[in-house]
């Protein structure tokens, strides 16, 4: 195995997509998908990239996996430059994209996985051993001989994940591995990932997600990304602790349609997100201090709002994101791709 | 792990789904033999209606078997990478630390073997149904020409797979375009010389043109005396040249596509 | 009853519109050239070369105009009959759309009919182009001595093709894994059995009998009589043109009835077995 400390290292990584005329968005012919991203992922880490749809997560993964070239900046995987020497990089990595399947429906699960193993030069016997072992770990031991077109989509996704681990890569990229999966399957996958890394402490996983729980629960360190930029990068607890000096409240109010407008211009408010539900308005508030709550409530009441519920909460990564970006991670994007 | 072994493993790995498909989808076989056979029969009767000698029925049957290969090259080689892109497999192939040519070769060998089963079915049933004289005079030479044609043909398939990939969605139409016009130009159903020597030579970029011509010469030497494009040996030479050329270009083509796609972000569908 | 009729009408409208949207990339010059000009003309040219090579009198052979005409109008068979059945599979596999079509408040049968109409319209273009090529390029002489027969046969034949296409679409829906080729195989079979490019008398008798029972045989024969002044098949020579038309009326009506029945059944089975959103490509 090559000697390197940083599994992934990027310096000012930027990627611009040029659009054809008829694809232009709001008249813009260019999309800045990554904006001077500088990151370091230690060997042995489970590193998370948390950001909403369209943040640039997949773009970053694709560049690291040698499937896309950066517009500028540099990136090293296993200490190797991905632009200069992609062939060498590929020997150290694998990638799984959630929501995608792989292989051919006509083949059985085992045959499909075996086929991919062949592309990595793994002898058949060894491949078979690993396939059965990994399938058992994701609860698919009894499906080895099932043809893929008979599998449910969740099962296909699990098979695809097994494909990523099958080659025992030094660095594995998981792009939204639990995308669209039911809670139970997603949990199985998260447990599997965690366990694999415990058993292979010298391996590295870079995982992207837009589920904050996933990042919180799973990752050693998380980088928060939005609109192509890394806004923060630390362990989840560190990110949350940073918010603890501030105060996070959840409010449920009635009799008001737009609290944002009502609270506009209050310097104590670090971040605010609102969301209507059953005729009430749910507010997530990040305030500079607890004392500020009084003036916020006064202002709301002056605008005709009645308070239905008030809770003080421990900050979550969602609140971290809210404080950093000014909107919630899950808030509807103008971007749907 | 030696490079050669890795290359071979990749070839076998990619050929496997196609080989397995032959017996796993037996009912397809019926369709795949039936469809060319229907066409072949129609052409046999068209020839009979104008009193053509029985050798011409042989042309029709040979042409029908060739169609099986050509369809395989169009729909399972040329369009394949495009289709793999749509399903997300292409990026996984490119991600793997293996030779791209090995993957193409696996695709070709698998498809070629599977199609040979079908083509043999067409010839067998066709020859029996229409009692066509099929007598090969120079067995080894015949086999040689046949194999050479296949190598050149699937080499062309490999090359087209990159071209179609560049073409994107239009590729599907390109495959459609390469049906009737190619049946005409390559002389699937008649001695291609009938198109005139110039056109016949121009059509020789399609390996089937000279391949079929040489096979016809070996099957029906007397009849073909007036119809041949070139002597068999010369045609074999051209076919060998085409084979080398196509494989070489295919390699360059795929590399070109890969670089372009990495630059433009076209390896996968947008937003994935 | 009124509601069902309204839904059917809605289905036809939406189907035609959708069909046109999907097919209308034909209007791009490149695609128009491929499908309406190059492919049909190349198909005809193959026959031309075969005649030139073998027939002593070449294109002057009395059979040639019949072969040409049969092959040209056969374009309708490929486009409409196979086209509609192919549509079902394509909608499902390629666009993953069939289930939405089905969920929309419209009549499934109407939708298929609409797609068939769009196909017919487009096939007409390629038939016209090919006819023009035959007349100008190959010297085929067409007469218009019996316009009533021409119009009657054409309309009945097209309606019947659409019906049988819809019927086939229903069948394709059910034999999920082979849906792709059903249309092709049927089209190939009809080319052979309907004496499209040679006299039926050449076929062995069981096939000949089968061919004589197929609607397109009569249709092509009627068109030959209308455009060339005489038919091709001796077996049909005793029928008057009025009788031919009558047969067409009967088979068209039969096709209509059968297609409604079969699509209804297929639809029900497909819903029950979840075939509408099946993906079989791999
Ligand atoms: N191939 C491409 N061509 C044009 N734009 C692209 C392409 N791939 C991604 N984008 C755009 O780049 C931005 C970042 O996308 P992506 O990296 O896929 O985000 P994420 O994975 O975080 O959802 C989005 O605006 C997306 O639409
Ligand atoms: Mg993404």
């Amino acid at each position: 195995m090559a000697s390197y400390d940083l599994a992934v290292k990027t310096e000012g990584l930027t990627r611009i997509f040029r659009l054809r005329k008829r694809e232009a968005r709001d008249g813009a012919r260019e999309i800045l998908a990554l904006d001077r991203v500088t990151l370091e992922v230690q060997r042995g880490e489970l590193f998370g990239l948390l950001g909403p749809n369209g943040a640039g997560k997949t773009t970053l993964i694709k560049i690291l996996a040698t499937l896309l070239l950066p517009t500028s900046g540099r990136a090293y995987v296993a200490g190797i430059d991905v632009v200069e020497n992609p062939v060498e990089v590929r020997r150290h990595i694998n990638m799984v994209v959630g929501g995608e399947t792989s292989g051919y429906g006509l083949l059985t699960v085992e045959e499909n996985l075996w086929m991919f193993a062949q592309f990595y030069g793994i002898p058949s016997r060894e491949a078979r051993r690993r396939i059965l072992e990994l399938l058992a770990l994701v609860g698919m031991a009894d499906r080895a001989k099932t043809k893929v077109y008979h599998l449910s989509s969740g099962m296909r996704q699990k098979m695809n994940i097994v494909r990523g681990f099958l080659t025992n890569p030094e660095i594995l990229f998981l792009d939204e591995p639990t995308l669209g999966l039911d809670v139970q399957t997603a949990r199985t996958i998260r447990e599997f990932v965690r366990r694999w890394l415990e058993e292979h402490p010298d391996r590295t996983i870079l995982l992207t997600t837009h589920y904050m729980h996933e990042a919180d629960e799973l990752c050693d360190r998380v980088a928060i990304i939005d609109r192509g930029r890394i806004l923060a990068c630390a362990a989840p607890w560190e990110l949350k602790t940073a918010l603890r000096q501030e105060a996070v409240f959840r409010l449920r109010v009635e009799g008001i349609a737009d609290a944002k407008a009502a609270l506009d211009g209050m310097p104590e408010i670090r971040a605010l997100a609102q969301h209507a539900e059953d005729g009430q308005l749910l507010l997530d508030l990040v305030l500079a201090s607890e004392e500020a709550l009084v003036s916020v409530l006064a202002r709301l009441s002056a605008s005709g709002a009645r308070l239905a519920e008030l809770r003080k909460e421990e900050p979550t990564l969602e609140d971290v994101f809210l404080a950093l970006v000014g909107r919630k991670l899950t808030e509807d994007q103008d971007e749907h791709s | 792990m030696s490079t050669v072994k890795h290359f071979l493993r990749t070839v076998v790995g990619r050929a496997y789904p196609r080989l397995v498909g032959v017996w796993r989808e037996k009912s397809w076989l019926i369709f795949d033999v039936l469809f060319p056979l229907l066409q072949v029969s129609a052409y046999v009767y068209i020839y009979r209606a104008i009193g053509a000698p029985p050798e011409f029925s042989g042309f029709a049957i040979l042409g029908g078997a060739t169609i099986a290969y050509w369809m395989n090259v169009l729909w399972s080689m040329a369009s394949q990478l495009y289709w793999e892109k749509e399903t997300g497999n292409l990026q996984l192939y490119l991600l793997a630390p293996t030779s791209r040519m090995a993957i193409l070769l696996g695709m070709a060998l698998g498809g070629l073997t599977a199609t040979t089963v079908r083509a043999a079915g067409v010839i067998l049933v066709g020859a029996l149904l229409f009692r066509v004289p099929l007598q090969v005079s120079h067995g080894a030479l015949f086999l040689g020409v046949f194999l050479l044609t296949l190598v050149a043909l699937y080499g062309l398939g490999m090359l087209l797979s990159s071209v179609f990939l560049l073409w994107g969605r239009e590729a599907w139409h390109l495959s459609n375009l390469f049906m009737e016009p190619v049946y005409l130009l390559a002389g699937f159903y008649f001695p291609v010389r009938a198109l005139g020597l110039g056109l016949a030579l121009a059509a020789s970029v399609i390996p089937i043109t000279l391949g079929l011509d040489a096979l016809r010469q070996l099957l029906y030497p007397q009849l073909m005396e007036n119809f041949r494009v070139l002597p068999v040996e010369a045609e074999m030479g051209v076919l060998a040249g085409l084979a080398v050329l196509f494989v070489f270009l295919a390699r360059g083509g795929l590399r070109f596509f890969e670089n372009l796609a990495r630059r433009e972000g076209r390896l996968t569908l947008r937003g994935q | 009853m009124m509601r069902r009729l309204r839904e059917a009408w809605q289905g036809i409208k939406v189907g035609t519109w959708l069909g046109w949207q999907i097919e209308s990339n034909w209007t791009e010059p490149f695609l128009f050239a491929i499908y309406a000009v190059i492919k049909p003309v190349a198909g005809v040219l193959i026959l031309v070369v075969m005649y030139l090579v073998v027939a002593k009198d070449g294109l002057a052979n009395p059979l040639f105009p019949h072969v040409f005409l049969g092959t040209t109008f056969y374009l309708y068979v490929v486009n409409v009959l196979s086209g509609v059945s192919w549509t079902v599979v394509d909608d499902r596999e390629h666009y993953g759309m069939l289930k939405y079509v089905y969920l929309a408040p419209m009549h499934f049968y109407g939708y298929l009919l609409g797609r068939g109409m769009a196909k017919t319209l487009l096939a007409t273009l390629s038939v016209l182009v090919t006819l023009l090529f035959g007349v100008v390029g190959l010297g085929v002489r067409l007469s218009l001595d019996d316009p009533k027969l021409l119009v009657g046969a054409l309309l009945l034949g097209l309606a019947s093709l659409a019906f049988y296409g819809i019927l086939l679409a229903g069948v394709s829906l059910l034999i999920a894994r082979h849906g792709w080729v059903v249309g092709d195989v049927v089209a190939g079979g009809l080319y052979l059995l309907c004496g499209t490019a040679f006299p039926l008398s050449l076929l062995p008798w069981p096939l000949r009998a089968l061919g004589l029972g197929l609607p397109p045989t009569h249709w092509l024969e009627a068109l030959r009589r209308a455009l060339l002044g005489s038919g091709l098949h001796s077996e049909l020579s005793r029928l008057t043109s009025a009788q031919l038309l009558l047969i067409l009326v009967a088979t068209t009506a039969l096709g209509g009835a059968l297609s409604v029945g079969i699509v209804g059944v297929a639809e029900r089975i497909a819903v029950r077995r979840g075939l509408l959103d099946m993906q079989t490509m791999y």
Side-chain angles (χ1 to χ4, degrees):
Chain A
M1 200 178 289
S3 63
Y4 53 89
D5 296 324
L6 291 178
V8 172
K9 177 172 150 72
T10 72
E11 292 167 356
L13 205 62
T14 299
R15 171 72 214 204
I16 296 170
F17 287 110
R18 279 174 228 297
L19 300 180
R20 288 176 205 145
K21 209 171 243 155
R22 63 190 146 84
E23 297 173 325
R25 297 180 198 171
D26 310 326
R29 294 276 301 273
E30 286 187 349
I31 293 179
L32 181 59
L34 287 182
D35 186 5
R36 287 161 289 160
V37 168
T38 298
L39 266 185
E40 291 188 346
V41 178
Q42 305 291 326
R43 185 178 192 157
E45 250 188 327
L46 205 175
F47 189 92
L49 207 56
L50 177 67
N53 280 333
K57 304 182 296 294
T58 301
T59 304
L60 179 57
I61 295 261
K62 292 256 158 85
I63 292 176
L64 296 176
T66 74
L67 296 174
L68 186 67
L69 290 175
T71 308
S72 64
R74 293 188 159 270
Y76 305 87
V77 170
I80 308 156
D81 190 319
V82 295
V83 178
E84 301 290 319
N85 201 350
V87 178
E88 189 52 37
V89 170
R90 291 182 193 130
R91 289 185 221 284
H92 301 267
I93 62 168
N94 207 338
M95 175 188 80
V96 177
V97 181
E100 285 183 6
T101 55
S102 52
Y104 304 96
L106 174 82
L107 299 184
T108 65
V109 171
E110 188 181 339
E111 287 170 331
N112 255 314
L113 292 169
W114 168 83
M115 179 182 82
F116 283 103
Q118 296 313 292
F119 301 160
Y120 288 76
I122 302 170
S124 294
R125 187 194 298 249
E126 169 66 8
R128 188 140 307 148
R129 190 189 62 74
R130 289 194 209 170
I131 289 167
L132 296 179
E133 185 184 307
L134 289 168
L135 284 178
L137 284 177
V138 296
M140 279 180 68
D142 54 339
R143 295 307 171 94
K145 301 261 183 278
T146 307
K147 284 184 198 149
V148 169
Y149 58 64
H150 290 312
L151 292 183
S152 67
S153 63
M155 290 274 186
R156 284 183 208 197
Q157 203 157 330
K158 280 205 249 180
M159 176 188 90
N160 198 21
I161 289 195
V162 166
R163 179 189 54 72
F165 289 87
L166 179 63
T167 62
N168 206 357
E170 290 167 40
I171 298 154
L172 178 59
F173 300 107
L174 298 177
D175 191 8
E176 313 226 23
T178 59
L179 187 74
L181 291 179
D182 63 89
V183 181
Q184 185 53 47
T185 312
R187 186 176 304 145
T188 312
I189 286 175
R190 283 199 281 266
E191 275 163 14
F192 166 71
V193 168
R194 191 75 256 181
R195 201 169 137 195
W196 186 81
L197 213 52
E198 273 159 20
E199 287 167 10
H200 303 81
D202 57 339
R203 306 294 194 215
T204 310
I205 291 181
L206 197 162
L207 165 151
T208 81
T209 181
H210 69 270
Y211 302 123
M212 99 180 155
H213 284 301
E214 191 159 282
D216 203 349
E217 204 178 288
L218 208 54
C219 299
D220 302 321
R221 280 199 306 146
V222 173
I224 290 182
I225 182 171
D226 186 51
R227 302 191 180 175
R229 289 167 58 181
I230 304 284
L231 302 173
C233 177
W237 64 268
E238 281 178 299
L239 290 168
K240 288 183 286 186
T241 314
L243 264 196
R244 203 159 287 149
Q245 285 107 37
E246 307 170 355
V248 179
F249 292 100
R250 308 245 185 275
L251 277 69
R252 192 183 275 273
V253 294
E254 291 169 347
I256 185 170
D258 187 0
K260 259 189 176 153
L263 297 174
D264 195 35
M266 293 182 74
E268 307 92 315
I269 297 181
R270 284 286 156 80
L272 164 64
Q274 65 177 5
H275 153 73
E277 194 181 281
D278 303 333
Q280 297 178 320
L281 210 53
L282 297 181
L283 304 182
D284 292 283
L285 271 171
V286 182
L287 302 179
S289 65
E290 275 186 30
E291 290 73 40
L293 183 64
V294 181
S295 45
V296 167
L297 291 178
R299 176 82 76 97
L300 280 173
S301 155
S303 322
R306 267 172 299 110
L307 188 62
E309 193 184 322
L310 167 67
R311 275 186 296 148
K312 176 158 195 286
E313 298 229 321
E314 281 296 297
T316 63
L317 282 184
E318 181 84 60
D319 301 312
V320 173
F321 187 84
L322 178 61
L324 284 169
V325 178
R327 65 191 145 78
K328 290 179 78 165
L329 188 55
T330 44
E331 217 164 83
D332 272 350
Q333 302 284 305
D334 26 291
E335 271 285 340
H336 289 284
S337 56
Chain B
M1 182 91 224
S2 80
T3 322
V4 178
K5 241 184 181 170
H6 190 170
F7 189 93
L8 290 179
R9 274 194 210 289
T10 305
V11 173
V12 173
R14 184 59 191 86
Y16 181 79
R18 303 211 147 169
L19 297 176
V20 135
V22 179
W23 57 271
R24 204 160 280 178
E25 293 278 321
K26 288 191 206 73
S27 46
W28 271 117
L29 200 63
I30 299 173
F31 283 110
D32 285 341
V33 174
L34 188 62
F35 180 57
L37 215 54
L38 288 171
Q39 286 183 319
V40 166
S41 312
Y43 282 111
V44 168
Y45 286 117
I46 293 171
Y47 270 135
R48 286 189 180 173
I50 41 179
E55 286 87 348
F56 280 84
S57 301
F59 292 170
I61 292 173
L62 207 58
T66 316
I67 284 204
Y69 285 107
W70 183 240
M71 296 287 261
N72 186 251
V73 164
L74 279 186
W75 297 104
S76 303
M77 284 297 296
S79 322
Q80 185 71 19
L81 290 187
Y82 171 68
W83 191 72
E84 303 271 20
K85 179 175 107 173
E86 299 272 302
T87 54
N89 280 329
L90 181 66
Q91 57 172 347
L92 301 178
Y93 291 163
L94 296 181
L95 183 73
T98 189
S99 154
R100 283 96 176 86
M101 286 311 277
I103 289 184
L104 283 182
L105 193 63
M107 241 161 69
L109 283 178
L112 187 158
T113 314
T115 308
T116 299
V117 178
R118 300 179 167 99
V122 173
I123 291 192
L124 211 72
V125 180
L128 284 177
L129 274 183
F130 298 110
R131 290 193 212 95
V132 169
L134 286 177
Q135 244 166 23
V136 183
S137 39
H138 302 80
L141 197 57
F142 190 88
L143 195 70
V145 172
F146 174 70
L147 290 179
L148 204 53
T149 308
L150 285 189
V151 175
L153 182 61
Y154 279 81
L156 176 63
M158 292 185 195
L159 170 60
L160 287 180
S161 70
S162 310
V163 176
F164 278 34
L165 204 47
L166 283 171
W167 224 289
R169 229 175 321 190
E170 312 278 88
W172 196 81
H173 301 297
L174 225 51
S175 282
N176 264 316
L177 173 65
F178 285 165
M179 287 164 67
E180 286 85 350
V182 170
Y183 303 163
L184 171 69
L185 288 175
F188 274 60
Y189 292 113
F190 50 76
V192 71
R193 182 64 195 264
L195 295 176
L197 189 61
L199 202 51
L201 283 177
S204 300
V205 233
I206 308 161
I208 286 176
T209 312
L210 291 185
L212 265 182
D213 197 65
L215 293 179
R216 282 191 201 112
Q217 289 190 48
L218 292 171
L219 271 178
Y220 308 115
Q222 280 105 358
L223 187 82
M224 283 299 290
E225 231 162 275
N226 307 319
F227 279 122
R228 70 174 192 195
V229 180
L230 298 169
V232 173
E233 290 73 18
E235 294 185 339
M236 287 181 80
V238 177
L239 284 173
L242 285 176
V244 174
L245 180 73
F246 286 146
V247 171
F248 183 75
L249 286 179
R251 206 166 130 227
L254 196 56
R255 220 174 261 170
F256 175 79
F257 170 80
E258 193 181 339
N259 287 331
L260 184 81
R262 285 175 74 206
R263 217 165 39 240
E264 295 190 353
R266 285 213 266 155
L267 265 188
T268 44
L269 297 176
R270 260 276 298 292
Q272 278 185 351
Chain C
M1 184 64 206
M2 273 315 286
R3 216 186 89 224
R4 281 195 66 89
L5 273 180
R6 220 179 28 241
E7 278 175 7
W9 172 236
Q10 180 72 8
I12 294 174
K13 266 197 324 200
V14 176
T16 314
W17 177 82
L18 205 59
W20 187 259
Q21 291 303 309
I22 292 173
E23 321 283 350
S24 69
N25 52 12
W26 269 61
T27 50
E28 286 175 31
F30 168 65
L31 297 184
F32 182 82
I34 292 183
Y35 291 100
V37 184
I38 299 177
K39 275 170 75 81
V41 168
V44 167
L45 280 177
I46 292 176
L47 297 176
V48 169
V49 179
M50 288 166 74
Y51 265 72
L52 288 177
V53 172
V54 175
K56 282 174 205 69
D57 37 4
L59 299 191
N61 188 297
L63 281 181
F64 183 74
H66 290 98
V67 173
F68 167 76
L69 208 71
T71 304
T72 303
F73 278 92
Y74 172 81
L75 288 171
Y76 275 120
V77 179
V78 181
N79 282 296
V80 181
L81 192 114
S82 317
V84 175
S85 79
W86 200 78
T87 289
V88 173
V89 188
D90 195 44
D91 277 1
R92 179 179 66 197
E93 305 264 347
H94 200 144
Y95 299 100
M97 199 168 75
L98 195 60
K99 54 174 178 283
Y100 304 116
V101 167
Y102 185 75
L103 286 176
M106 61 185 197
H107 204 275
F108 187 54
Y109 185 90
Y111 167 73
L112 291 179
L113 193 59
R115 287 296 294 265
M117 280 162 65
K119 295 262 185 209
T120 306
L121 234 53
L122 296 168
T124 302
L125 289 177
S126 57
V127 167
L128 287 177
V129 168
T130 314
L131 281 178
L132 189 72
F133 173 72
V135 171
V136 176
L138 305 175
V140 175
R141 238 166 289 151
L142 299 182
S143 65
L144 282 171
D145 294 342
D146 197 344
K148 262 183 274 166
L149 181 62
L150 177 65
V151 174
L154 198 60
L155 291 183
L156 281 170
L158 292 182
S160 133
L161 280 179
F163 288 146
Y164 286 101
I166 293 171
L167 192 154
L168 209 58
V171 176
S172 309
L173 194 58
L174 295 184
I175 41 175
R177 306 198 48 74
H178 300 299
W180 289 105
V181 289
V182 168
D184 284 346
V185 169
V186 169
L190 290 180
Y191 189 84
L192 178 69
L193 293 174
C194 296
T196 311
F198 55 85
L200 276 175
S201 53
L202 287 172
L203 286 177
W205 75 263
L207 294 185
R208 195 185 329 147
L210 187 57
L212 286 171
L214 293 170
T217 311
H218 303 274
W219 180 54
L220 291 176
E221 189 72 354
L223 289 172
R224 285 190 181 108
R225 285 191 194 178
L227 285 170
L228 300 173
S230 68
L232 174 63
H233 308 302
S234 52
E235 292 83 353
L236 297 177
S237 58
R238 262 178 302 153
L239 293 176
T240 64
S241 297
Q243 281 170 322
L244 268 181
L245 277 182
L246 210 62
I247 293 178
L248 283 180
V249 171
T251 51
T252 306
L254 182 69
L258 277 180
S259 63
V260 171
I262 289 192
V263 166
V265 172
E267 202 181 342
R268 242 168 291 138
I269 298 180
V271 173
R272 204 168 57 226
R273 292 209 218 132
L275 295 175
L276 285 173
D277 57 353
M278 184 161 171
Q279 302 254 333
T280 58
M281 264 168 86
Y282 36 80

